[in-house]
Amino acid sequence: MRPLLLLAGLLVATPAFAQSGHRLPRGDAPPQDARSQQPAATIIAEPVAMMIAAFDSDGDARVTRAEFDAGLRHAWAGVGGGSAGYIGYSDWAATWLGDRNALPSPFELDTNGDNRITFDELAARFDLYFTRFDANKDGVITRSELIQIRAPGMGPGDRRGGGMRRRGGWGGSQGGGGMGPGE
């Protein structure tokens, strides 16, 4: 008799519980906040790649070597005295690369060790970037050469290893804009 009363009590309480707006947890449905989150990006661009894309002065979505050189000169033109100390370079990087800590770092650029970055030192490093990004070696950098494809869940910092692949082959960069071996 008792089990029957217990069952009757549950049958009466269940509709009231359901109508009150309470939901029973379902094991197969993710929490509401997880469903509304944006998925991880699978196409990314390094800060220096975004800067290079901005060098496209004629709007044809291609950056020629002449546009590249002119864009770099324009970006550096605001540096007082033609050279910058490490803090001044960080200010420049915040403006043109989007972050004070974006690569290339001032330590990479300061090849003579005088704690100043000159346009020539910057240009020498950016020459390497032009060569690296011009994957098909036609003297023009296109948007597809500036982006990297990352498999979902395989980005930097992922415990499973991770990696990004530049269109046309594997890149040595892990998202920071540095030059890897062989690049």
Side-chain angles (χ1 to χ4, degrees):
M1 174 86 175
R2 268 197 148 157
L4 189 57
L5 284 175
L6 183 60
L7 181 60
L10 283 174
L11 288 174
V12 171
T14 300
F17 182 73
Q19 290 175 359
S20 69
H22 293 82
R23 301 246 186 245
L24 294 174
R26 290 182 50 195
D28 59 344
Q32 181 64 29
D33 61 339
R35 286 183 287 191
S36 63
Q37 290 179 351
Q38 182 176 351
T42 57
I43 299 176
I44 62 170
E46 299 174 36
V48 73
M50 294 186 337
M51 180 180 174
I52 292 168
F55 292 166
D56 175 22
S57 61
D58 62 5
D60 66 353
R62 299 162 36 96
V63 178
T64 64
R65 185 60 200 224
E67 287 174 316
F68 180 89
D69 292 340
L72 192 60
R73 283 198 182 284
H74 171 75
W76 194 253
V79 174
S83 70
Y86 288 10
I87 293 174
Y89 174 78
S90 293
D91 293 341
W92 180 87
T95 300
W96 289 97
L97 299 173
D99 190 272
R100 294 181 180 288
N101 298 311
L103 296 176
S105 78
F107 304 104
E108 292 176 66
L109 297 172
D110 184 16
T111 56
N112 64 2
D114 67 351
N115 295 328
R116 305 235 15 115
I117 310 302
T118 64
F119 178 77
D120 290 340
E121 288 172 319
L122 181 78
R125 185 56 164 192
F126 272 74
D127 283 343
L128 296 174
Y129 284 122
F130 189 92
T131 301
R132 178 168 64 103
F133 283 117
D134 185 13
N136 64 2
K137 307 302 178 212
D138 66 351
V140 175
I141 300 174
T142 62
R143 299 301 193 266
S144 65
E145 290 173 314
L146 290 171
I147 63 171
Q148 295 176 342
I149 308 300
R150 177 175 60 189
M154 297 300 285
D158 188 353
R159 294 179 196 203
R160 292 177 281 182
M164 291 186 286
R165 184 180 61 80
R166 175 165 307 290
R167 288 191 189 256
W170 287 92
S173 171
Q174 289 295 307
M179 306 292 280
E183 295 190 46

